[in-house]
Amino acid sequence: MNSKLTKDPKSKESHRPRAVVMLSGGLDSTLAAKVLQEQGIEVHGIHFSTGFCIDDHKRAVAPAGEDPKKLRNEALRAGADLGIPVEMVDISEEYLDIVYNPKHGYGAHMNPCIDCRAFMLRKAKEHMAAIGADFIATGEVLGQRPKSQRRDAMDIVERDSGLKGKLLRPLSAKLMRPTEAEETGLVEREALLDIKGRGRRRQMDLIEEKGITDYPSPAGGCCYLTDEVFSRKFRDKMKHKGEQRMDWTDVALLKVGRHFRIHEGLKLIVGRNERENQFLERFTAGRVVFEPIDVKGPIAVSDESLPSADDENLCAALVARFSDGKKLPQVAVAARGGSQDTRTYNAAPLWDEDQMERLRI
């Protein structure tokens, strides 16, 4: 490792260059941090919690005895492997406003990727100032993502984040304009990389050459907003909330179950497995809960309003359809909550596929 020292024009004292790296813990951001470390740069990680991370939800519904490796926070794991501090920052409340009103629109689904990057980088800029860092780096790769990692989109992110000249992408730096850190010698441009495109083979080879072999699979992503089914539920919820912004209970419930729009003012959420049933039990206050009595099956909860008696019959038929008694003529389904005592419906499982698809969100 180089023992690079530079002059701070304010203090006139020698100091190591310091960088804030946006650290997801994935392959690219870990490699970006490692490349800077190898130049003798002092690296500080920062990781943001948006409330839409799939891995965070998996931890929330994990059963007892789950493999700890599946539950770890990858940013903290990467920080430990690299020997760097990682600042964990919850931005969920502000981030929901970004999702509702993205200046640069959405990607394929409900993902406001350009606005997301710019917002996170503005937050990272605050941390950069707080710890006296010289620049910010990310693991972005030119051309890897169709919405936010086109060259024009990356320029927009740099501009909107207020980091013009101070935002370094070490993995694609040689394909981009030099940053201030490169021009002033804080970073050796020749030691940076020229990776582009969607493949990850080169990154995987490089990171293993550098001694890091424990990292999550680069396939897929961790954001619910890029998921087609979740995005459909999110749009439906936005529509039915009207001018009222959804809260984090609303968002949490979008992450679990099968969702059925009974009518404009009522939705039913049906658990898909035991873990989701247990999760839904946390949200039963003020709702009607449906559950089979004599056979195993899902828990379902009403959302938005309390169902009428006719609504409850339909909800019971849906619950029966997904129970172990789905091939029986009738299934006893209990309904609890609302203004009444617990009541029982002998419901014929709903097998009308056309009706199911009309109701399904």
Side-chain angles (χ1 to χ4, degrees):
M1 179 181 291
N2 298 329
S3 56
K4 181 182 294 186
L5 295 175
T6 63
K7 287 286 187 179
D8 182 337
K10 295 181 180 179
S11 68
K12 305 299 183 183
E13 296 178 358
S14 296
H15 77 293
R16 286 177 64 193
R18 181 178 295 169
V20 173
V21 175
M22 299 265 285
L23 193 66
S24 68
L27 175 63
D28 295 330
S29 64
T30 304
L31 179 58
K34 186 66 175 177
V35 166
L36 296 179
Q37 270 192 322
E38 290 182 340
Q39 293 198 30
I41 294 167
E42 181 183 329
V43 175
H44 291 247
I46 190 166
H47 179 78
F48 296 105
S49 175
T50 66
F52 289 97
C53 177
I54 294 171
D55 289 341
D56 287 347
H57 178 69
K58 287 179 179 177
R59 283 190 283 272
V61 300
E66 180 65 278
D67 179 359
K69 188 172 181 178
K70 294 181 179 179
L71 302 180
R72 67 189 183 183
N73 182 288
E74 293 293 350
L76 293 176
R77 188 272 315 152
D81 287 350
L82 294 165
I84 64 173
V86 180
E87 182 80 4
M88 307 292 287
V89 184
D90 184 344
I91 57 171
S92 55
E93 283 300 327
E94 294 171 274
Y95 188 75
L96 193 53
D97 291 331
I98 299 291
V99 178
Y100 260 73
N101 298 291
K103 176 181 175 182
H104 298 287
Y106 301 105
H109 301 297
M110 289 297 293
N111 44 311
C113 294
I114 294 176
D115 296 89
C116 171
R117 297 300 293 180
F119 175 63
M120 288 184 180
L121 284 164
R122 287 195 294 272
K123 291 294 184 181
K125 183 181 177 183
E126 295 173 7
H127 187 58
M128 177 181 74
I131 67 171
D134 300 289
F135 63 94
I136 292 174
T138 75
E140 292 169 288
V141 170
L142 186 64
Q144 187 179 91
R145 297 188 185 278
K147 179 68 176 177
S148 63
Q149 291 177 22
R150 306 185 316 267
R151 189 180 297 273
D152 61 324
M154 294 170 87
D155 289 343
I156 291 169
V157 167
E158 182 177 2
R159 181 198 69 201
D160 286 6
S161 63
L163 286 168
K164 190 169 180 60
K166 292 189 177 295
L167 178 55
L168 177 66
R169 281 90 169 205
L171 305 190
S172 295
K174 287 184 177 179
L175 303 173
M176 309 184 79
R177 294 184 302 273
T179 61
E180 290 178 12
E182 295 162 86
E183 292 175 334
T184 59
L186 289 178
V187 177
E188 295 175 19
R189 182 172 174 83
E190 286 307 306
L192 301 176
L193 302 171
D194 58 355
I195 301 173
K196 65 179 179 179
R198 304 190 70 174
R200 301 287 182 88
R201 186 69 259 170
R202 189 173 170 198
Q203 292 98 304
M204 293 169 71
D205 291 341
L206 283 168
I207 200 80
E208 291 181 12
E209 286 174 15
K210 297 177 186 301
I212 297 176
T213 58
D214 186 11
Y215 53 85
S217 168
C222 185
C223 182
Y224 270 111
L225 295 167
T226 64
D227 179 78
E228 180 182 0
V229 175
F230 179 88
S231 295
R232 194 162 60 239
K233 295 174 184 176
F234 194 93
R235 283 191 294 268
D236 173 82
K237 191 65 178 179
M238 285 179 68
K239 173 186 174 182
H240 289 90
K241 292 288 282 192
E243 295 183 1
Q244 181 184 3
R245 195 192 80 163
M246 69 179 78
D247 58 28
W248 282 104
T249 294
D250 295 322
V251 175
L253 287 170
L254 294 177
K255 298 173 184 177
V256 299
R258 303 175 179 92
H259 289 227
F260 296 94
R261 175 62 55 190
I262 305 303
H263 54 65
E264 287 298 302
L266 177 66
K267 181 173 71 171
L268 185 72
I269 305 171
V270 183
R272 289 175 292 196
N273 52 49
E274 185 176 358
R275 283 182 286 175
E276 290 195 345
N277 286 346
Q278 291 171 350
F279 187 80
L280 287 172
E281 284 281 13
R282 306 179 196 177
F283 299 93
T284 58
R287 305 172 190 272
V288 173
V289 184
F290 299 87
E291 186 174 10
I293 296 173
D294 300 320
V295 296
K296 291 184 178 181
I299 285 175
V301 298
S302 65
D303 196 28
E304 297 161 2
S305 66
L306 297 179
S308 67
D310 287 342
D311 294 335
E312 288 192 354
N313 268 300
L314 177 54
C315 292
L318 279 165
V319 170
R321 165 66 175 79
F322 294 104
S323 76
D324 286 358
K326 60 188 176 184
K327 294 185 178 180
L328 298 175
Q330 289 187 326
V331 175
V333 176
R336 51 186 164 90
S339 59
Q340 309 172 53
D341 294 333
T342 298
R343 52 269 182 212
T344 300
Y345 293 90
N346 291 312
L350 183 61
W351 278 103
D352 185 329
E353 295 298 337
D354 289 340
Q355 185 178 9
M356 287 273 290
E357 289 309 307
R358 287 195 301 271
L359 295 173
R360 193 190 300 270
I361 299 172

